[in-house]
Amino acid sequence: IAQSKAKDAEYTAKIKEADAQLAKKDYATAKTSYLAALSMKSKEAYPKQKIKEIDDFVRPNLIHLIISGFLIGIFTGMVGLGGGVIAIPVMVLFLKFPIKKAIGTSLGMIILTSFGGLIPYLSANPNINLAQSLHCVGYVSLLVGLCIAIPSATFSSYGVKLSTKLNARVLRRIFGVILFLVGLDLILEH
C-alpha cells in the first residue's frame, strides 16, 4: 500500500510539473513529462489527452490545412460571413483544434482573409445611388466599416480576456448558440 501511495504521489507530481510546463508553452518538455507520467500509469487518459493536444498543436496536417483554407476562403468570400464563423467550426470539427486555439488562430487569419475578400469588393461597380451618401468604394462603405471597426478593435481585447477565463465547453456552447442564431436569421430572412 505504501508503494502504491508513493507511485500515486510521484504520478501526481509529474502531472503537475507537465501542466506547469504546458502553461508556459514549453511543449517539448511538457510532452516528455506527460510521457513519464504515462509510463507510471499507462491506463490514465489525462496524459494521453495532453500528449495528443501537444502533437495536434505542434504538427498540424498540411493537406488538411490547405483544404480547409480553400473551403474557408470560398465560403467567406461568397456569403460575407466573418471568417471566424466558418473557420472556427472547420478548425474545431474537421481539424480537431481546441476551441480556444481555433478562436485565436481565426483572429490571426482574419487579417489575410479579409484583405483577400476586400479587394474585389472595393473594385466592384455596384451602380447604386447610395455610394456617395455612405462614402462607398465599390461595395464597401468606408463610413460604416470604420464606425464599427474602431470600437470592435478597441473592445475585442476584453472578449479575449473573457474567452481565456471561460471553460472550453462553455465557450463552445456560446459559439454554437451564436451560429444557430445567425443561421436561423438567414433562413427566416425574407
Side-chain angles (χ1 to χ4, degrees):
I1 294 174
Q3 187 178 7
S4 177
K5 285 184 179 183
K7 185 177 180 180
D8 286 346
E10 186 180 356
Y11 171 81
T12 301
K14 190 54 78 172
I15 289 294
K16 285 182 181 178
E17 177 184 320
D19 287 343
Q21 293 160 340
L22 186 58
K24 293 177 184 174
K25 298 183 180 178
D26 185 357
Y27 301 114
T29 308
K31 183 176 179 179
T32 302
S33 296
Y34 286 124
L35 286 168
L38 193 59
S39 72
M40 293 175 215
K41 291 189 173 187
S42 61
K43 294 183 181 181
E44 289 293 319
Y46 184 76
K48 291 177 187 176
Q49 173 192 346
K50 289 299 186 181
I51 291 166
K52 183 182 181 325
E53 285 177 22
I54 292 168
D55 287 344
D56 289 347
F57 191 83
V58 174
R59 280 181 295 148
N61 183 312
L62 186 60
I63 292 170
H64 289 163
L65 294 174
I66 292 169
I67 292 169
S68 297
F70 173 77
L71 295 173
I72 291 166
I74 293 290
F75 288 118
T76 298
M78 182 174 69
V79 298
L81 290 173
V85 173
I86 297 169
I88 292 171
V90 167
M91 285 188 273
V92 170
L93 299 173
F94 180 60
L95 299 174
K96 304 297 183 203
F97 274 38
I99 185 76
K100 292 180 182 183
K101 178 181 169 188
I103 292 169
T105 302
S106 173
L107 288 171
M109 289 171 33
I110 287 172
I111 296 166
L112 296 174
T113 57
S114 294
F115 188 71
L118 176 65
I119 300 302
Y121 280 108
L122 282 170
S123 61
N125 184 6
N127 292 325
I128 56 175
N129 293 333
L130 295 175
Q132 291 176 341
S133 65
L134 293 176
H135 306 284
C136 288
V137 176
Y139 281 104
V140 179
S141 170
L142 301 176
L143 177 66
V144 172
L146 286 173
C147 287
I148 293 173
I150 290 171
S152 260
T154 303
F155 288 98
S156 66
S157 63
Y158 296 106
V160 171
K161 288 177 185 173
L162 180 60
S163 168
T164 58
K165 291 179 182 179
L166 287 174
N167 177 293
R169 175 178 276 175
V170 171
L171 198 55
R172 284 176 68 112
R173 288 189 176 148
I174 290 170
F175 187 72
V177 168
I178 292 169
L179 283 181
F180 174 76
L181 293 173
V182 168
L184 190 61
D185 182 62
L186 290 171
I187 290 169
L188 297 177
E189 188 177 284
H190 300 287

